[in-house]
Amino acid sequence: MIIRELKLENIRSYTSGTIRFPEGSVLLSGDVGSGKSTILLSIDFALFGLQKHLSGASLLRHGEEHGSVELVFEIDGVEYVIKRTLRRKRGSVRQEAAQIIFNGRKRELTAQEAKSFVLGLLGYPKQALRQDSALLYRYTVYTPQEQMRQIIESDINERLDLIRRLFGIDKYKRISENASIFARELRSKIRELSASISGINEKREELKEISKSEEEERGRVSLIRAELEKRQEEMKAKQKELEEVEKRIEELNKKREEYAVLKAEHDSLLAQIKKQGADLEDLRNRLSEVREQLSSIHLPKGLSRDAISSLEKDLHLIVSEIAVLDSEVKSLSEILEKGVCGTCKQRVADPEAFRSGIEKKMERLDTLRKREAEIRRSLESMRGYIELEQRHRLLLERRSELEEIRGRYESELEEKKKRRRDIAQRANKLAEEIKREDISNLKALRDQFEKLREVVEELRGKLLVAEQKIRDLSERRRGLEKEVAEMEKTAEKVDAYTRYEHWIVDFFANLMATIERHVMLSVQYEFNSLFQKWFSLLVTDETLSARIDDNFSVVIEQNGFETHYSFMSGGERTAIALAYRLALNRVINDLIERIKTKDLLVLDEPTDGFSSEQMDSVRDILSELRTRQTILVSHEPKIESFVDKTIRIVKEDGISRVVSRPVLYHFLLYERGTKKRAQDRQEPQGKITKRDENGNRSPKDPSCGNKCVTASSEENPKEPGDNAAEAVGQRSEVATIFYP
């Protein structure tokens, strides 16, 4: 993981600001209280949100309603942007949903979802998600120096619990504690189960008695069932005889029913025949009347309906033509009278000729009216023929209809007479068969059958009672068998639980403790080796040594005698805390291969109380760590001599900001190994001019003029000459380079 950029808005002393972090070593420089630690807390908040040690009220700037932190970082070549927002509501400060951008996609997650997403990105073990989620980050990447001192001075059990959690060794303690709880539960369960099987022998005796009673009752049931089967066979024989008689009775009843149906049908047909005979006689009388009426009608010859239709057609044409001519004569007469056509407005040129035309049309009109009168007289004389011919046609149709009905009535009447004769024959035959049936023995058979049925029902009742008793005994026996079987299983469980409890107490708990000791010793050995290595680099006093014991406590010896951490000087306590911090970082990174924060190290005031030589040692340690990105927070000017980039923080009127300033170029002034001041200074292209503690040119040096080289730390993250110390390979004091 590499941090690229951090944007702040209304976070503590920052109103707004953007900090860009290059790779390599980066120093956040500034006076105490200028806002350096706010940057580290903002990174922590961007990654993990609000936590127990990091509240919203402590982050949001006083008097502001909202604030935000946006962090840009890179993991495995992929750039991620995460933005978290704070908002003041009803007197409290709460975090809102987080925004995460990567691979061109934007996701909006809740605060907890964003924390889980980041922990997954960082490759932290799954148990880190269930425990203190940012624990590994705080002890592998960023641990405030004071917090590390608290760990060193804390109670042994608290420190061991923390070490176990950091390295995932706490699982052995949890397993051991859970095993003890499980063993205690087993002992309680053993006592409970032992009490539940105390009456097993009495249950076994009761089971024997019930089994014996059940066998005796089954013998009695066998005798009842044999007698019942015998009586049922007798009952079946009687029932067969009774069924035969009843079958005959049923057939007799069917015949009686059939006879009744036939008689009813015969009577109905007889009534229908009488009625239909009367109807047929009436029909014959009406047919005779129609025939007489037809014989009385005489139609004249020579007249036909076609001749009448032809005259009616001629009359229609003549009437139409009369109407047309009459209209034309009226219209032409009006034109002649006015002398002008009302339509085309033309004048009548020759009135006499026009009048002659009108007279011809009037002559034609008179001829047509005479013809119309002749046709109407002819049609009037033919009207009586039409009525007579129509009455003749209706009588013919009525005669045909009555003859058809008469034929149908005669056919139906003959059919019904035939059916009546057939039904009478069948009814007489059924009456003879009914007289011949004899069912006098039916009552005796029914009495015998009823007596047998009573005996069978009595035997069935006895059998049911006996079988119910067997079922009750059987159910009780099965219940006892189940109870005894469960008790026996419980007894087996008691034996098994007892073995488990002895195994857990005598073997498993000791095994977990042994495994934890071996793992802790392995971690402690590596931890102690690294701690002593870093401590020896930071503290060169040969009379003072420090090591890590089995409880991960710091054991300090001075002149062969143990002394307490609190008796050390401020610089020595800082050296111990830094060595502890670096050893913890290295061991965690070595043991947990999947974490993605190995390339990042954040040190907050790591040189508090250090001497000049100890600060030089810090540079050597940073060089040996070879971390891809190291962020240091310090107000010590000398640290600027061995970092790749310095970010200056200033605070004015309660507002922090990142400022641009001239870059101080540094180089080493004495050789490594001898630790003596170099006599010959190598001046790149110019002479060296001493600066006072505020960075101003010394009054003894009249040079400088306008040739002093300056650059903005914001615009040039790494200026030429920043690595002069690396080029020379020596330790340094602050100097400013001027070009002539």
Side-chain angles (χ1 to χ4, degrees):
M1 174 182 175
I2 298 297
I3 295 176
R4 296 299 185 192
E5 184 178 275
L6 179 70
K7 292 182 180 180
L8 306 177
E9 181 183 359
N10 293 330
I11 299 298
R12 298 183 74 164
S13 58
Y14 290 85
T15 56
S16 65
T18 300
I19 303 98
R20 296 179 179 86
F21 297 88
E23 295 187 21
S25 55
V26 182
L27 172 65
L28 299 179
S29 177
D31 295 335
V32 175
S34 60
K36 303 184 297 298
S37 296
T38 297
I39 295 175
L40 303 184
L41 291 174
S42 298
I43 294 173
D44 196 345
F45 169 64
L47 291 173
F48 306 109
L50 297 179
Q51 302 164 63
K52 292 181 180 179
H53 69 282
L54 190 62
S55 65
S58 67
L59 284 175
L60 184 61
R61 183 175 175 82
H62 294 305
E64 300 295 339
E65 295 300 319
H66 66 88
S68 65
V69 174
E70 183 177 307
L71 179 67
V72 182
F73 59 95
E74 179 184 315
I75 295 178
D76 294 336
V78 179
E79 186 175 272
Y80 296 85
V81 180
I82 182 168
K83 183 176 181 179
R84 291 185 186 264
T85 304
L86 295 172
R87 190 169 298 277
R88 196 186 305 276
K89 291 182 179 179
R90 299 175 183 175
S92 63
V93 179
R94 300 179 181 178
Q95 58 183 339
E96 297 185 338
Q99 295 179 356
I100 298 178
I101 302 174
F102 64 98
N103 292 332
R105 294 183 299 166
K106 182 178 180 180
R107 295 178 61 185
E108 187 166 312
L109 305 175
T110 65
Q112 186 61 39
E113 290 172 342
K115 181 191 293 186
S116 300
F117 180 81
V118 170
L119 288 170
L121 282 180
L122 299 181
Y124 288 165
K126 291 183 178 179
Q127 58 265 29
L129 304 178
R130 299 188 297 269
Q131 301 172 0
D132 188 351
S133 56
L135 187 69
L136 278 176
Y137 174 81
R138 290 206 302 272
Y139 289 102
T140 57
V141 178
Y142 165 53
T143 307
Q145 198 73 356
E146 289 302 321
Q147 189 173 353
M148 187 56 65
R149 291 176 181 174
Q150 292 175 7
I151 295 171
I152 294 172
E153 295 178 332
S154 64
D155 178 76
I156 291 175
N157 292 328
E158 293 180 4
R159 183 166 53 255
L160 284 176
D161 285 342
L162 176 62
I163 295 298
R164 289 188 181 100
R165 289 164 61 196
L166 286 174
F167 293 102
I169 305 172
D170 57 333
K171 62 186 176 183
Y172 298 110
K173 183 180 179 182
R174 289 199 306 273
I175 292 172
S176 182
E177 291 174 349
N178 291 337
S180 298
I181 295 171
F182 185 59
R184 186 166 59 252
E185 291 295 327
L186 280 177
R187 288 192 291 271
S188 175
K189 195 69 175 177
I190 289 169
R191 289 192 296 271
E192 178 186 341
L193 294 177
S194 298
S196 67
I197 61 174
S198 58
I200 188 171
N201 292 327
E202 290 80 357
K203 295 288 183 183
R204 285 171 177 163
E205 288 298 323
E206 185 180 357
L207 179 60
K208 290 180 181 178
E209 292 296 328
I210 289 177
S211 299
K212 182 179 178 182
S213 298
E214 183 181 359
E215 288 299 320
E216 292 174 353
E217 198 64 31
R218 288 186 185 278
R220 182 168 172 268
V221 165
S222 298
L223 295 175
I224 294 173
R225 187 172 285 120
E227 180 66 18
L228 178 62
E229 289 175 355
K230 178 182 176 182
R231 294 299 181 179
Q232 284 177 335
E233 289 297 325
E234 294 176 2
M235 184 177 173
K236 284 180 182 179
K238 290 295 180 183
Q239 185 176 9
K240 188 175 181 181
E241 293 179 23
L242 185 61
E243 285 175 354
E244 290 178 356
V245 173
E246 287 178 344
K247 185 177 180 181
R248 286 163 53 196
I249 292 173
E250 184 179 355
E251 291 176 354
L252 180 61
N253 290 333
K254 287 181 180 180
K255 289 179 181 180
R256 286 173 177 170
E257 291 175 359
E258 186 179 358
Y259 176 81
V261 170
L262 289 173
K263 187 175 184 306
E265 188 176 358
H266 177 272
D267 294 344
S268 175
L269 284 172
L270 187 61
Q272 291 176 16
I273 289 169
K274 289 180 179 179
K275 182 178 181 302
Q276 202 161 2
D279 292 341
L280 182 59
E281 186 62 28
D282 180 65
L283 185 63
R284 286 171 179 165
N285 293 332
R286 283 186 288 165
L287 184 58
S288 297
E289 291 177 0
V290 170
R291 285 174 178 170
E292 290 177 359
Q293 291 176 5
L294 281 173
S295 61
S296 64
I297 295 174
H298 301 283
L299 293 176
K301 297 181 180 180
L303 291 178
S304 66
R305 183 170 291 277
D306 291 339
I308 295 171
S309 297
S310 178
L311 286 174
E312 288 176 346
K313 184 176 180 182
D314 291 342
L315 179 62
H316 177 73
L317 292 173
I318 289 170
V319 170
S320 298
E321 188 176 355
I322 288 171
V324 173
L325 286 172
D326 188 52
S327 176
E328 288 178 356
V329 168
K330 287 180 181 180
S331 177
L332 291 173
S333 297
E334 289 178 2
I335 292 172
L336 180 63
E337 183 180 353
K338 294 179 180 179
V340 179
C341 179
T343 303
C344 63
K345 305 301 180 182
Q346 291 183 359
R347 298 186 65 82
V348 177
D350 188 355
E352 292 301 326
F354 197 82
R355 185 178 291 106
S356 176
I358 293 173
E359 290 175 353
K360 289 180 179 180
K361 289 182 179 292
M362 292 178 68
E363 290 175 359
R364 174 63 179 165
L365 188 60
D366 292 339
T367 303
L368 291 173
R369 283 174 177 166
K370 290 177 180 180
R371 179 60 181 159
E372 177 187 5
E374 291 176 0
I375 292 174
R376 290 186 184 278
R377 285 193 297 271
S378 297
L379 288 174
E380 185 68 23
S381 64
M382 293 180 180
R383 185 170 298 162
Y385 167 78
I386 293 172
E387 292 177 356
L388 187 63
E389 189 270 339
Q390 186 175 3
R391 184 168 177 272
H392 185 268
R393 186 176 66 254
L394 290 175
L395 287 172
L396 288 175
E397 290 176 357
R398 180 62 177 164
R399 184 186 64 182
S400 297
E401 181 182 354
L402 291 174
E403 287 177 349
E404 182 182 355
I405 293 172
R406 183 194 63 184
R408 188 169 66 249
Y409 271 29
E410 290 175 350
S411 177
E412 289 177 357
L413 185 60
E414 187 62 30
E415 179 66 25
K416 288 179 179 178
K417 288 179 178 179
K418 183 180 179 182
R419 282 178 58 198
R420 186 192 68 78
R421 289 193 295 271
D422 293 341
I423 290 171
Q425 291 176 359
R426 288 168 57 194
N428 293 332
K429 183 179 179 181
L430 284 173
E432 291 296 325
E433 291 176 355
I434 291 169
K435 289 179 181 179
R436 288 197 299 267
E437 287 291 342
D438 183 14
I439 53 172
S440 59
N441 63 340
L442 177 62
K443 187 176 183 304
L445 286 173
R446 283 180 176 173
D447 292 341
Q448 295 172 7
F449 180 79
E450 286 299 324
K451 289 180 180 178
L452 285 173
R453 187 167 63 180
E454 289 174 1
V455 172
V456 168
E457 290 298 325
E458 183 181 357
L459 290 173
R460 283 176 177 171
K462 291 180 180 179
L463 182 62
L464 288 174
V465 172
E467 287 178 341
Q468 182 61 44
K469 188 175 181 180
I470 290 174
R471 282 195 294 272
D472 294 341
L473 290 171
S474 179
E475 183 178 354
R476 178 59 181 158
R477 174 181 54 78
R478 287 194 297 270
L480 284 172
E481 288 175 347
K482 185 177 180 180
E483 288 182 35
V484 171
E486 288 177 353
M487 285 182 172
E488 289 173 348
K489 287 181 180 179
T490 301
E492 294 175 359
K493 283 184 180 179
V494 170
D495 294 339
Y497 288 170
T498 304
R499 292 195 303 272
Y500 295 157
E501 191 269 338
H502 290 326
W503 180 82
I504 290 171
V505 173
D506 299 337
F507 175 75
F508 185 73
N510 294 331
L511 176 63
M512 290 299 102
T514 302
I515 292 174
E516 182 185 3
R517 277 198 303 273
H518 281 291
V519 175
M520 290 286 281
L521 285 173
S522 175
V523 173
Q524 185 271 341
Y525 176 79
E526 181 67 20
F527 193 98
N528 181 54
S529 299
L530 291 169
F531 173 80
Q532 289 182 322
K533 175 183 177 181
W534 304 134
F535 182 78
S536 64
L537 289 175
L538 293 170
V539 180
T540 57
D541 186 355
E542 296 181 355
T543 65
L544 185 64
S545 64
R547 60 183 174 83
I548 303 298
D549 66 6
D550 294 347
N551 296 321
F552 288 82
S553 301
V554 179
V555 179
I556 306 167
E557 294 183 358
Q558 192 167 26
N559 294 321
F561 296 95
E562 290 189 7
T563 185
H564 194 267
Y565 173 79
S566 60
F567 298 153
M568 298 292 97
S569 66
E572 290 169 339
R573 287 198 297 270
T574 300
I576 291 171
L578 182 58
Y580 203 99
R581 166 79 173 79
L582 294 175
L584 189 61
N585 172 269
R586 177 60 63 85
V587 175
I588 291 175
N589 285 337
D590 290 344
L591 286 180
I592 307 176
E593 297 179 356
R594 294 179 60 252
I595 62 175
K596 303 295 184 179
T597 53
K598 296 181 180 181
D599 293 330
L600 176 63
L601 179 62
V602 180
L603 299 175
D604 187 10
E605 298 292 351
T607 61
D608 186 25
F610 272 14
S611 64
S612 178
E613 289 78 7
Q614 284 180 306
M615 283 192 284
D616 291 336
S617 299
V618 171
R619 182 191 61 187
D620 296 337
I621 290 173
L622 293 178
S623 177
E624 184 172 342
L625 286 173
R626 296 188 297 276
T627 307
R628 187 176 168 189
Q629 186 179 55
T630 303
I631 300 174
L632 299 95
V633 176
S634 178
H635 59 275
E636 295 288 348
K638 188 170 184 179
I639 295 181
E640 297 184 22
S641 64
F642 52 77
V643 295
D644 299 324
K645 169 71 182 288
T646 299
I647 299 175
R648 170 72 61 178
I649 311 297
V650 298
K651 188 175 184 181
E652 297 175 351
D653 298 329
I655 298 176
S656 298
R657 60 189 177 90
V658 179
V659 298
S660 300
R661 65 179 183 83
V663 178
L664 298 179
Y665 296 102
H666 311 285
F667 61 92
L668 299 177
L669 301 178
Y670 55 90
E671 296 179 353
R672 185 188 308 272
T674 62
K675 296 184 180 180
K676 294 181 179 180
R677 189 174 303 278
Q679 299 298 323
D680 299 323
R681 297 181 179 176
Q682 181 178 354
E683 299 183 8
Q685 301 183 11
K687 59 186 178 182
I688 302 172
T689 302
K690 286 291 187 72
R691 312 292 288 183
D692 62 16
E693 61 181 0
N694 295 322
N696 300 318
R697 181 170 59 82
S698 173
K700 295 181 181 180
D701 188 356
S703 59
C704 182
N706 295 323
K707 299 179 180 180
C708 180
V709 177
T710 63
S712 168
S713 62
E714 287 296 314
E715 297 173 358
N716 302 293
K718 189 172 181 180
E719 296 292 342
D722 280 355
N723 289 336
E726 295 179 9
V728 178
Q730 299 170 339
R731 298 183 178 178
S732 66
E733 66 180 14
V734 178
T736 303
I737 300 175
F738 295 86
Y739 291 91

